[in-house]
Amino acid sequence: MTNNKDVTKQLFELVNKTEQILRLYYNKQKWPSIFPTLAELAQLYTETYQHSPNALHSYLSLHFKQLSPTTNLVVKKCILVCMIAQGHGYSHKIRQELLVACLASFLCVKNESDKLLSDQPLTEQGKKIWKVRYQLAVKVLEHGGSINKQAARIMPRLHPYCETLKSKRNTPLYDNITLIVAIAQIIATSLIKKATPNVLAQAVKKLYLASKDEFTRDTLNKLATQFNHFPVGCTTQYRGQTALLLQVNGKNQIICTFKDKKIDRLVKTQHPLRLEYRPFKTADKHLLFKVWSHIEPQILEADNDAFESTYSVIDKLGKNSFGSFRAIEKTIAPFPYIEQALQQAAKQYNRESQKGANTRHCLTMVGLDTASLLCQRVLIEQVISQLKHPFALDIWHKYQQLALILATLTKQAYGQDYESVLSPISAVIAFMLKHHDIDIKRFTCVSEQIDDSTPYSLARLFGFLEFNSAKLDEYFTHHFDSSAPHNAFIQSEKEKHNALSEEAKTFVAIKVLAMQCSSAYFEPTSWQRLVLENQISMFGWRDEAQLNDAILELSLYSVIE
C-alpha cells in the first residue's frame, strides 16, 4: 500500500471542475473563459487517466450522489473517451480535441439534461433549448474565441450519429471523430439511466451487434480491451460482505468491503472472485477520492514517438552517397522490421514479382543507386502506418492512390526516378500526421483559394486548406535539403504557376488527378488544367481520356462525397 495525497486531490479537482464548467453557461460574463477552462479540464482528464486509470474506471460504476445527473453523465462520457483514445493509441492533441467536444456537448443544457435524466418533463422553452443545444454550444465556444478544430465540427453531427447508432439503420457514418464521441455518449447515458447488473457489457454488446461499421466495432473492441486491462469497479461478495474491486495486479487483487454503504476495510487477496458490474450510488468521499491515495498507481506508459528516431536514419539515407550494399544495411540495422516491408516493395523490381529472400537480396534486386531511396521510402511508409489516427485507413488508401497515380502518369512503377518522386509525397504525409493530425478529415477540401495562381496544396486531399508553411520548410530543409525532388514538391505547394519547374508541374498534375479521383466537387483552374494536359503529353499519353481510363482500371479506393 502507498500514500499518495496528490491522487486524491487530482480526482476531487477533476470531478468538481466538471460540475463547475457545466454551470458557466448560465453566467454570460463567464463565456470568454469557457474555452480555456474546457481545454484545462480536458488536459486534467488526460493526465489523470494516464496516472490513475483504475480510479477513473471505477467511476463508471460509481454514481456520485452529491453531483447532478448530468455531471455524472459527462464524467463517465469523458472517461469512456479516454479509454477509447488509449486503446487506439491516439496522440495527445487528438485526445484533447475529443474531450473538449465531450465537455462542450452538455455545455448549455445542464438544467434541461438534469430534468430528462430524472424523468421530469421539460417546459416549452426547455424543449426549444434542448433541440438546438449543439448549435448553442458552438456559438458559446465561438464567443469565447475557441481555437478548437474539431468540437465545432462534431456538434452538428452528434445527434444524428447517436440516433443512427441506436436505430440499426445502415446509414454510412463517415466521421470517425464524431463516432467516438457518439459511442461514449450512448454508453454513458445507459450507465446513468439503467441500474441493472452488467449494464456496461450490455450497452457495448448492443452497439456492437447493431453496427456494421468496421470502425465502430473496432472502437468497441478497444474499449472492452481497456476495461479488461483494468476491470475496476466490479462488485463481488467477500466473506458475506459486499465488496468493490479496486485493483488487479497479476494474481493479487485489492478490494474494499462495505458497511452501511461506507468503506469498512481494504483487503489484498488472491482468492478467485465472482465479479459483476453493477451501478453503485454513494456519497462516501473516502471511496470516491481518498482510498486511491492508499493504492499503488498503475501508470500507463506513454507511447514512444518513433518519428524522430526514424528520421535520423532517413536523413542518412537521403544525404549520404553509399558505396556498398553493406553500408546501407548497416544504416537500416536499427529497424529489423524493415526487411519484410522491403521484400514487398522490391517485388515490383522482379520480373516474376517474387519477393527478395532477405534484406541484401532486396537491395541487389533494385540496384545500388535506387536502394537507399527505396529504404528511405519504406521507412517513411512505416512511420505513416505506425502512427495512430481516427482516419488512419483513409490516409493509407489515399497515399496508395497517389503512388498508383504517379506510376500510371509517368509510366514508371519502379526505379530511381519513381522512388525519387514518390519520396517527397511519403515524407509530407508523415509530416502531416505529426503536425496536422487534428486537421485531417475524411473528405477533401475544395473551398476556393484567395490566389488562384498558387497551386492547390496536397493538404486539400486530406481535408484542410494547407500545411503550416514555416514548419514544412523547416522539416524539408532539415531532412531533405539536398534533394531536388523534395525541393520541387515544396515549389508545387508555394510558388505561383509561372515560376514552377517541370518537376514541380509533375507534382501539380499528380495532385489534380488525385483530387479528381477523390472529390465530386473539385474543378481544376484553367492553368492547372493546362499543366495537367502538358504533363499528360510529356509522358506519352494521347489525351486525358486515355489516362483516365488507365487510372479507372486501377480500381482505386475512393470516398466520393
Side-chain angles (χ1 to χ4, degrees), residues 63-66 261-262 281-286 288:
H63 188 93
F64 295 73
K65 280 186 177 180
Q66 63 268 53
K261 292 203 171 183
K262 290 189 176 181
K281 290 187 178 183
T282 182
D284 182 9
K285 290 184 179 179
H286 192 63
L288 295 171

Side-chain angles (χ1 to χ4, degrees), residues 459-526:
R460 286 175 173 264
L461 185 64
F462 298 92
F464 60 104
L465 275 173
E466 59 189 3
F467 301 113
N468 182 309
S469 182
K471 286 185 178 178
L472 186 63
D473 284 347
E474 181 186 349
Y475 166 78
F476 268 56
T477 300
H478 182 67
H479 295 296
F480 311 104
D481 189 35
S482 58
S483 168
H486 287 80
N487 291 329
F489 178 84
I490 288 292
Q491 260 196 13
S492 79
E493 287 282 312
K494 296 168 62 177
E495 298 294 339
K496 292 186 181 292
H497 63 82
N498 54 8
L500 295 174
S501 65
E502 280 303 318
E503 292 80 6
K505 288 176 182 177
T506 300
F507 285 113
V508 171
I510 292 165
K511 287 187 271 189
V512 169
L513 289 167
M515 287 290 287
Q516 286 178 337
C517 289
S518 298
S519 174
Y521 304 105
F522 172 71
E523 282 292 334
T525 61
S526 56

Side-chain angles (χ1 to χ4, degrees), residues 11 48-49 52-62 76 79-80 82-84 86 191 200 222-234 244-246 277 292 300:
L11 293 169
T48 307
Y49 189 77
S52 307
N54 279 324
L56 292 192
H57 281 212
S58 75
Y59 287 177
L60 292 178
S61 60
L62 297 174
K76 287 172 171 51
I79 292 167
L80 288 163
C82 287
M83 293 170 71
I84 291 167
Q86 180 67 26
L191 296 178
L200 177 61
K222 295 280 196 301
L223 178 63
T225 301
Q226 285 305 113
F227 196 76
N228 192 48
H229 289 328
F230 303 100
V232 178
C234 295
L244 191 76
L245 182 64
L246 299 181
Y277 182 90
W292 298 104
L300 294 170

Side-chain angles (χ1 to χ4, degrees), residues 193-208:
K193 283 191 165 186
K194 299 175 183 177
T196 54
N198 294 319
V199 61
L200 177 61
Q202 289 168 8
V204 172
K205 183 180 178 181
K206 187 177 179 181
L207 272 176
Y208 188 90

Side-chain angles (χ1 to χ4, degrees), residues 201-220:
Q202 289 168 8
V204 172
K205 183 180 178 181
K206 187 177 179 181
L207 272 176
Y208 188 90
L209 293 175
S211 177
K212 294 181 181 178
D213 179 70
E214 186 179 339
F215 180 81
T216 300
R217 288 191 156 198
D218 182 46
T219 295
L220 292 167

